[in-house]
Amino acid sequence: YQEIRKDIVALGQTLGSSQTLAILEDMKADDVIGVPASWNSAWEFEDQILESGANYCFEAMNGVDWAVENRDVAGKIAAVGYDNDYGGDAAAGVKAAAEANDLEYVEIKAPPGQDQQAETVASVLREDPDLLVISTGPAEMAAIVGGAAAEGFDGTVVGSSPTWNPALLQSAAAP
């Protein structure tokens, strides 16, 4: 941003919440608008940002409401996600929807890395929620869902948009 800031009036896409947050104050000083390739609910409160879709928080609330209405989810809901603005934003939505639907809420942090999910899977099995709302990347989501299902987990799973990859349909997570 520092190299191009004097030559632009807008950024057609900024990549990621952390990167956008890092340049946001400079964008404000320069009166430059941007469209992040992220869906952090913080963008709702920033005049320099044009949103391109539902934020992680709203998406998670909608996912919980869908599961309650269409999958008869009742009892416990777990937000499973990265320990960052993406996972935290989705977890806030899961928590709000759990409260609105009078459901128990738990949060499980998932580290990055497909091969780093053993403790996440163990936490899912220990908590045994009726619904998982996952906010990771697709590889982690496949490892979490596939690993938990292999150990008998049969709850409903909803994923934030960045969890999706068509290859999931060919993995152990598909069923």
Side-chain angles (χ1 to χ4, degrees), residues 24-100:
L24 186 57
E25 291 307 314
D26 288 335
M27 290 172 59
K28 289 177 182 179
D30 299 341
D31 200 26
V32 168
I33 61 171
V35 183
S38 74
W39 298 274
N40 188 318
S41 63
W43 305 148
E44 296 283 327
F45 309 100
E46 296 294 345
D47 293 338
Q48 302 308 120
I49 300 298
L50 300 174
E51 296 174 90
S52 62
N55 63 53
Y56 304 124
C57 185
F58 288 168
E59 181 182 54
M61 286 188 273
N62 288 337
V64 170
D65 287 346
W66 173 86
V68 168
E69 292 173 17
N70 294 286
R71 298 295 294 260
D72 297 321
V73 165
K76 188 186 292 186
I77 298 177
V80 180
Y82 293 145
D83 189 14
N84 62 14
D85 59 288
Y86 162 43
D89 206 41
V94 175
K95 185 176 183 181
E99 290 172 1

Side-chain angles (χ1 to χ4, degrees), residues 29-171:
D30 299 341
D31 200 26
V32 168
I33 61 171
V35 183
S38 74
W39 298 274
N40 188 318
S41 63
W43 305 148
E44 296 283 327
F45 309 100
E46 296 294 345
D47 293 338
Q48 302 308 120
I49 300 298
L50 300 174
E51 296 174 90
S52 62
N55 63 53
Y56 304 124
C57 185
F58 288 168
E59 181 182 54
M61 286 188 273
N62 288 337
V64 170
D65 287 346
W66 173 86
V68 168
E69 292 173 17
N70 294 286
R71 298 295 294 260
D72 297 321
V73 165
K76 188 186 292 186
I77 298 177
V80 180
Y82 293 145
D83 189 14
N84 62 14
D85 59 288
Y86 162 43
D89 206 41
V94 175
K95 185 176 183 181
E99 290 172 1
N101 287 288
D102 197 29
L103 302 169
E104 183 180 349
Y105 168 81
V106 295
E107 186 172 349
I108 300 170
K109 303 290 186 189
Q114 182 174 9
D115 61 345
Q116 301 298 312
Q117 301 310 315
E119 180 54 37
T120 309
V121 170
S123 294
V124 167
L125 295 171
R126 186 173 45 254
E127 293 292 343
D128 194 29
D130 299 302
L131 171 67
L132 295 179
V133 180
I134 301 182
S135 302
T136 64
E140 291 88 356
M141 190 239 210
I144 294 164
V145 175
E151 296 295 324
F153 175 77
D154 65 351
T156 297
V157 178
V158 174
S160 294
S161 296
T163 64
W164 176 247
N165 181 314
L168 289 168
L169 295 175
Q170 307 309 314
S171 76

